[in-house]
């Protein structure tokens, strides 16, 4: 008999995509690698000129919707006693699931971000089919002292994810992402401090590497202004908070997701 182990290694020959498998033959303990065709791959993007490359529009409607978003970003705490919080583990894709007593936060009817407690508001906005889904949550450990950050690089669905110290800057970040057609944005006190345009699917760009590097330098300089004590990459961290297959809890456009129990949970209960 043979035992097939799929390692998930893929190889591209120029026209076809192959997946590598290791096969062990139990009787002889001999190993060999075989390649299974997966699919025929379309022409390489390198064959496109920048003018021919596909454009992509972020389908969520962020323009002129301030009042709508203020309402959508509201996290009600009425008749609730406990807050489910995503705690960031620096330089780690996993998170902790914190349960915080709401009475200890001295909050009234709605959640308000606390810089002292490092408790920020986070939202994931569906951007592919204009469904209107907005998942909300509370995150601890991002260390923002002001402003907000947003990105359309948000594994694996790559919706828009935004986190901030106040709704006004979060909304501004969403509007700027919309204007760019996708990308990464840092804002503070009603001003866009830096941005990186990723106008193709909100994930890549036609611009030169030098331009992208220059924008990345500006983004990290902007982070130093709104999170001076941060000791990890906030953009990378934020982009994985929406991946609902890594414990303990993550956030999607449908809300908080408990990976261990594999179910959606309420922000407050």
């Amino acid at each position: 008999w043979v035992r097939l182990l799929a390692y998930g290694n893929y190889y591209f020959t120029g026209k076809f995509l192959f997946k590598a498998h290791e096969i062990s033959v139990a009787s002889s303990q001999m190993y060999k690698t075989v390649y299974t065709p997966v699919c025929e791959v379309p022409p390489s993007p390198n064959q496109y000129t920048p003018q021919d490359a596909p454009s992509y529009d972020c389908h969520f409607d962020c323009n002129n919707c301030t009042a709508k978003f203020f309402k959508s970003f509201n996290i009600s705490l009425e008749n609730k006693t406990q807050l489910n919080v995503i705690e960031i583990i620096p330089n780690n894709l996993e998170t902790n699931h914190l349960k915080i007593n709401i009475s200890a936060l001295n909050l009234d009817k709605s959640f308000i971000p606390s810089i002292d407690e490092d408790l920020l508001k986070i939202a994931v906005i569906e951007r592919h089919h204009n469904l209107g889904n907005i998942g909300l949550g509370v995150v601890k450990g991002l260390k923002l002292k002001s402003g907000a950050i947003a990105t359309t690089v948000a594994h694996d669905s790559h919706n828009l994810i935004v986190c901030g110290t106040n709704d006004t800057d979060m909304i501004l970040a969403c509007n700027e992402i919309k204007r760019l057609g996708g990308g990464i944005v840092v804002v503070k006190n009603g001003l866009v401090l830096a941005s990186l345009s990723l106008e193709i699917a909100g994930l890549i760009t036609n611009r030169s590497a030098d331009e992208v590097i220059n924008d990345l330098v500006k983004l990290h300089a902007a982070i130093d202004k709104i999170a001076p004590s941060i000791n990890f990459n906030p953009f990378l961290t934020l982009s994985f908070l929406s991946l609902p297959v890594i414990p303990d809890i993550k956030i999607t456009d449908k809300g908080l997701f408990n990976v261990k129990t594999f179910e959606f949970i309420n922000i407050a209960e």
Side-chain angles (χ1 to χ4, degrees):
W1 53 274
V2 298
R3 178 165 54 91
L4 186 65
L5 300 177
Y7 288 131
N9 296 323
Y10 291 88
Y11 295 87
F12 179 51
T13 65
K15 185 176 182 181
F16 290 93
L17 184 69
F18 289 84
K19 185 174 184 179
H21 306 274
E22 184 179 277
I23 295 180
S24 67
V25 182
S27 59
S28 62
Q29 295 300 307
M30 295 178 61
Y31 294 84
K32 66 178 296 185
T33 301
V34 297
Y35 299 91
T36 304
V38 176
C39 63
E40 185 171 353
V41 179
S44 167
N46 292 332
Q47 296 179 16
Y48 294 110
T49 65
Q51 292 76 24
D52 295 330
S55 61
Y56 187 89
D57 181 34
C58 292
H59 291 290
F60 55 88
D61 182 12
C62 282
N63 289 329
N64 303 315
C65 60
T66 300
K68 170 188 171 184
F69 266 61
F70 267 123
K71 183 177 180 180
S72 298
F73 282 177
N74 180 61
I75 298 176
S76 175
L77 301 179
E78 290 192 79
N79 302 316
K80 308 295 183 181
T81 60
Q82 181 175 269
L83 197 63
N84 289 309
V85 176
I86 304 170
E87 182 183 38
I88 291 171
I89 304 173
N91 300 308
N92 196 314
L93 298 186
E94 295 184 12
T95 63
N96 291 323
H97 180 184
L98 297 185
K99 297 182 179 182
I100 297 178
N101 191 324
I102 292 175
S103 62
L105 300 176
N106 296 316
L107 296 173
D108 192 10
K109 295 182 179 181
S110 298
F111 172 76
I112 299 175
S114 170
I115 295 173
D116 293 337
E117 298 291 338
D118 195 14
L119 293 173
L120 306 177
K121 188 177 292 187
I122 188 169
V124 174
I125 303 170
E126 194 280 326
R127 71 181 181 94
H128 302 293
H129 301 290
N130 201 24
L131 300 177
N133 294 345
I134 300 179
L136 298 174
V138 176
V139 63
K140 181 178 179 66
L142 198 56
K143 299 184 178 182
L144 300 189
K145 300 301 181 183
S146 60
I149 61 176
T151 178
T152 48
V153 181
H155 306 285
D156 261 346
S157 298
H158 295 293
N159 288 310
L160 167 65
I161 186 168
V162 56
C163 184
T165 61
N166 63 87
D167 288 1
T168 302
D169 280 338
M170 290 175 69
I171 293 166
L172 173 60
C174 290
N175 280 325
E176 182 64 10
I177 288 282
K178 170 66 177 180
R179 188 188 71 80
L180 293 173
I184 307 172
V185 171
V186 177
V187 305
K188 177 182 179 180
N189 296 335
L191 297 174
V192 176
L193 299 184
S195 65
L196 169 64
S197 171
L198 299 173
E199 72 282 357
I200 302 175
L203 299 173
I204 58 178
T205 179
N206 277 322
R207 297 179 302 127
S208 69
D210 287 339
E211 289 180 274
V212 173
I213 291 170
N214 184 56
D215 285 349
L216 284 172
V217 170
K218 292 178 180 179
L219 281 172
H220 285 285
I223 285 295
D224 288 340
K225 294 180 180 179
I226 69 171
S229 64
I230 199 167
N231 57 356
F232 55 89
N233 188 319
F235 308 117
L236 184 63
T237 299
L238 191 64
S239 71
F240 277 97
L241 291 183
S242 57
L243 182 58
V245 295
I246 302 176
D248 283 348
I249 61 172
K250 295 299 173 75
I251 182 170
T252 76
D253 62 307
K254 294 185 177 181
L256 288 181
F257 189 76
N258 187 323
V259 181
K260 288 188 172 181
T261 61
F262 216 71
E263 62 183 354
F264 286 99
I265 60 176
N266 295 323
I267 308 171
E269 51 193 19

